[in-house]
Amino acid sequence: MTEKNTSKKAQIGVTGLAVMGANLARNLARHGYTVALHNRSVEKTDALLEAHGSEGEFIRTETLQELVDSLESPRRILIMVKAGAPVDAVIDQLAPLLDKDDIIIDGGNSHFPDTIRREHDLSQMGLHFVGIGVSGGEEGALNGPSIMPGGSEKSYESLGPLLEDIAAKAPDGKPCCAWISTDGAGHFVKMVHNGIEYADMQVIGEAYDLLRSVAGIEPADQAEIFKKWNTTELNSYLIEITSEVLSQVDAKTGKPLIDVIVDEAGQKGTGRWTVQAALDLGSPVTGIAESVFARALSSSNPAARQQAQKELPAGVLESSQLAEEEEFIEDVRKALFASKLVSYAQGLDQLVAAGKEYGWELKLDEIAGLWRAGCIIRAELLGEIMDAYQGDTQPVNMLLAPGFKKLMEDLLPSWRRVIVKATEMGIPVPVFASSLSYYDGLRRDRLPAALIQGQRDFFGAHTYARVDSEGMWHTEWSGNRLEIDAASSHTH
C-alpha cells in the first residue's frame, strides 16, 4: 500500500534508493514497518513502488522536508548514498529540518573517522548520528543482513529493536545485530570485517591455485572438493560460493568460467582502510595486508606482469616427488584453515587495539556472533570464536585460546609442507606464507627486532631496553662504546 499526505506517520525513512537502499526499505516494510521513501530523482521512488509497493506500507515523498514531515518522533532517517562527500551533502540538507533527539543513520561503507566527525558535529546540534555497518550485499539487505551499529547508547534504545527485527538470525535464533559502541565503532567493525573478508578470499584463491598448478586438478573437480570442504570445519559462505564459481561453464566458449575471467581483482577501499588503520594502531594484520597487496599486484601494472611473464626467470627447484593427490588436497585444506584462523586472530587483535585507542568497549564474543549469519564471512568457525572470548578470562590472542592451540598443532605440518612446495614451484602464496610467519613470530623466544634496535641506536641514538636492567640504554658508538643509562650518566 502506498500513502501520501495522510495523517499516518512512518516509523523510519530511507533516502537513497539504489539497490541496497531499496532492499533495506523493502526489508523494513516486509517486517511491518511503515517506511517513508525519498530519492533525489523521484523516478527511482516510483519505480520501487511500482515493482514492490505491495510488500508493505510505504509513504512516497519528493523532498527531504516531506520525508521529515512524514515521520513519527523521534525521527529515524536512514541515508543510503555513496560514502564520502555525498553523505555530508545529505546531512547538511537534512540536519536543519530535524528536532532534538532525531536520529540520522548512515548505512553505507563510510570511513570510520568521518563517522566520528559527523557524530561529534551532530551531537552539538542535539541530534543522534549512527553509523551502521551492513554486510550481506543485496541479498542480505533484503532478506536479513549482519548489522553493526555505532552511535550513542540512547539512540540504540529507539533504533535497536527495529534493526534487530530486520537483521539475519544466527542458528540459535539470535539477531545478527547489537550495539557495538559509541561514534565510529560500528563502521570500524564493518571495516575490519571486510579486511578479514579480503584475506579469506585470497587464501581460498591460493588454495585453488595450488590444487590446479601443483596437482593439476581442473575447476569442475575442484568444485566438488570445495563442496566437500564445506562439510568440514571450513564450512562458510565463501567456500560454498567458491564451489559454485568453479563449477560454472562459460556459455560462449564452453570453457570453465574461471578461465575466461581476467585475473585482475578490484577493490572498493575497505580492505585498504583496514590496513591503514592497523598501521596507525601498530596492529600487525599481515595476512589482511598481503591480501590487499595481492589485489594491487594483480591489477595495478598489467604491462609489468606481461613483460615479467616473458623475461623473469622462475628458478624453480627440482622438487621432491609430489605426495599422493589425496594427501596434498588435505594438506591444502589444512593450510587454508590455518591461514584463515590467523586472519580472524589479526582482525580481532586490531579491534582490541582500536578499543583502547578510541575508548570503545568492544565485546569480541558479541561481534563474532554478529558475523554468524547474513554477512560475507559467515562461517561455522565463528561459534568457536564466540566461545573463546566469553567469560572473564579471555585470551590475549585468539590463537592462544585452548581450542585453537590444539587446532594449530594439527594444522601446522600441512601448512609448512604446502608453503615449501609452493616456494619450490614458484607459486605465490602471500597470505599462506605471511600468516605462517606471523604465527612463528608470535611463538619465537627471540626476534631480530633486537638487532633493529641496535641499528637504530647506532645511527640515531634511539636507545634500547636491556633484558637484565630497567630503563632505556644507549651505547656510545662513536666514542668508548660504553653502555649508558639514558636517564643518567650511569654506565653498564
Side-chain angles (χ1 to χ4, degrees):
M1 180 186 295
T2 304
E3 300 187 16
K4 182 178 176 182
N5 297 326
T6 70
S7 58
K8 182 160 186 173
K9 297 286 187 180
Q11 282 90 45
I12 188 167
V14 179
T15 179
L17 300 176
V19 176
M20 286 294 288
N23 281 4
L24 284 169
R26 292 170 60 196
N27 189 351
L28 287 157
R30 288 177 174 186
H31 281 81
Y33 297 100
T34 301
V35 183
L37 302 174
H38 173 266
N39 197 75
R40 188 172 57 176
S41 58
V42 182
E43 291 79 9
K44 277 196 176 177
T45 307
D46 291 337
L48 188 155
L49 289 169
E50 183 176 351
H52 306 290
S54 62
E55 293 183 347
E57 299 275 359
F58 295 102
I59 297 177
R60 177 184 183 276
T61 72
E62 296 187 2
T63 67
L64 285 175
Q65 185 65 65
E66 280 187 18
L67 177 68
V68 169
D69 293 342
S70 70
L71 296 167
E72 66 183 24
S73 290
R75 299 178 181 92
R76 295 171 285 205
I77 300 177
L78 174 61
I79 298 173
M80 293 299 298
V81 301
K82 188 177 179 182
V87 176
D88 286 320
V90 174
I91 291 171
D92 289 344
Q93 296 171 58
L94 194 56
L97 308 178
L98 299 177
D99 297 325
K100 187 175 182 294
D101 285 334
D102 285 347
I103 305 167
I104 298 176
I105 310 136
D106 174 16
N109 269 335
S110 289
H111 200 192
F112 77 94
D114 290 337
T115 307
I116 292 173
R117 167 179 58 81
R118 290 163 183 154
E119 196 275 342
H120 175 268
D121 292 347
L122 288 170
S123 68
Q124 304 300 304
M125 302 170 62
L127 301 173
H128 295 283
F129 183 75
V130 176
I132 63 171
V134 179
S135 180
E138 299 171 11
E139 182 183 343
L142 182 61
N143 299 315
S146 171
I147 305 177
M148 297 151 259
S152 67
E153 206 163 358
K154 183 179 179 183
S155 68
Y156 195 74
E157 292 173 9
S158 168
L159 188 60
L162 182 150
L163 294 179
E164 290 175 17
D165 207 9
I166 68 165
K169 302 302 182 287
D172 59 5
K174 290 184 179 179
C176 291
C177 174
W179 181 66
I180 300 293
S181 193
T182 54
D183 52 60
H187 275 142
F188 191 96
V189 168
K190 172 56 165 43
M191 178 191 75
V192 172
H193 162 285
N194 284 24
I196 294 171
E197 177 187 312
Y198 272 54
D200 211 344
M201 293 171 75
Q202 177 65 26
V203 292
I204 291 171
E206 291 175 18
Y208 152 77
D209 195 11
L210 285 163
L211 293 177
R212 196 166 192 188
S213 301
V214 177
I217 303 173
E218 292 301 308
D221 293 325
Q222 284 207 40
E224 292 305 310
I225 290 170
F226 277 93
K227 190 174 182 179
K228 183 179 177 182
W229 284 359
N230 205 41
T231 65
T232 71
E233 64 265 63
L234 277 175
N235 176 266
S236 64
Y237 173 71
L238 285 171
I239 294 290
E240 177 188 337
I241 68 168
T242 298
S243 176
E244 295 288 337
V245 172
L246 290 173
S247 68
Q248 184 69 16
V249 175
D250 176 50
K252 180 180 178 182
T253 64
K255 296 178 179 179
L257 178 65
I258 190 75
D259 288 344
V260 299
I261 297 175
V262 176
D263 62 335
E264 296 177 7
Q267 52 183 308
K268 290 189 174 179
T270 47
R272 187 166 60 247
W273 289 346
T274 306
V275 177
Q276 289 168 342
L279 289 170
D280 291 338
L281 294 166
S283 184
V285 294
T286 54
I288 295 171
E290 286 293 350
S291 69
V292 174
F293 292 137
R295 292 195 189 191
L297 179 63
S298 78
S299 59
S300 64
N301 195 341
R305 284 187 61 204
Q306 289 169 12
Q307 188 173 347
Q309 287 161 29
K310 298 172 186 174
E311 299 179 19
L312 288 184
V316 172
L317 301 179
E318 289 293 332
S319 57
S320 56
Q321 188 175 358
L322 181 65
E324 291 294 323
E325 184 176 283
E326 287 301 316
E327 291 177 20
F328 182 70
I329 292 170
E330 180 62 4
D331 275 352
V332 173
R333 186 188 72 83
K334 287 183 173 182
L336 168 55
F337 190 47
S339 302
K340 183 185 179 82
L341 290 173
V342 167
S343 68
Y344 277 91
Q346 291 179 349
L348 293 173
D349 266 8
Q350 184 174 2
L351 292 180
V352 172
K356 292 175 182 175
E357 177 70 18
Y358 298 107
W360 298 329
E361 294 184 17
L362 302 180
K363 299 174 181 176
L364 299 187
D365 60 330
E366 204 166 75
I367 290 169
L370 302 187
W371 295 342
R372 287 182 297 162
C375 69
I376 305 302
I377 64 169
R378 58 186 183 266
E380 189 175 298
L381 163 70
L382 287 155
E384 297 171 54
I385 295 175
M386 284 182 69
D387 293 342
Y389 283 95
Q390 283 174 346
D392 297 328
T393 55
Q394 297 188 3
V396 293
N397 181 286
M398 188 192 95
L399 299 177
L400 292 167
F404 291 116
K405 279 194 293 186
K406 188 174 180 183
L407 257 178
M408 297 309 281
E409 186 177 351
D410 174 57
L411 301 175
L412 271 165
S414 292
W415 200 8
R416 295 193 190 281
R417 282 194 295 267
V418 164
I419 291 169
V420 168
K421 178 59 66 178
T423 304
E424 286 178 341
M425 297 187 65
I427 300 167
V429 283
V431 178
F432 275 24
S434 67
S435 299
L436 180 58
S437 290
Y438 169 85
Y439 175 87
D440 284 333
L442 277 181
R443 48 162 290 280
R444 286 275 291 195
D445 60 338
R446 289 283 289 172
L447 293 172
L451 177 57
I452 293 170
Q453 278 302 93
Q455 293 168 331
R456 293 180 73 240
D457 189 59
F458 190 103
F459 66 68
H462 292 294
T463 72
Y464 51 84
R466 294 179 59 96
V467 298
D468 58 359
S469 304
E470 295 295 323
M472 299 303 295
W473 296 77
H474 166 63
T475 296
E476 292 282 2
W477 297 104
S478 59
N480 56 17
R481 301 243 168 164
L482 289 175
E483 286 78 45
I484 298 170
D485 185 340
S488 69
S489 58
H490 176 67
T491 59
H492 193 93

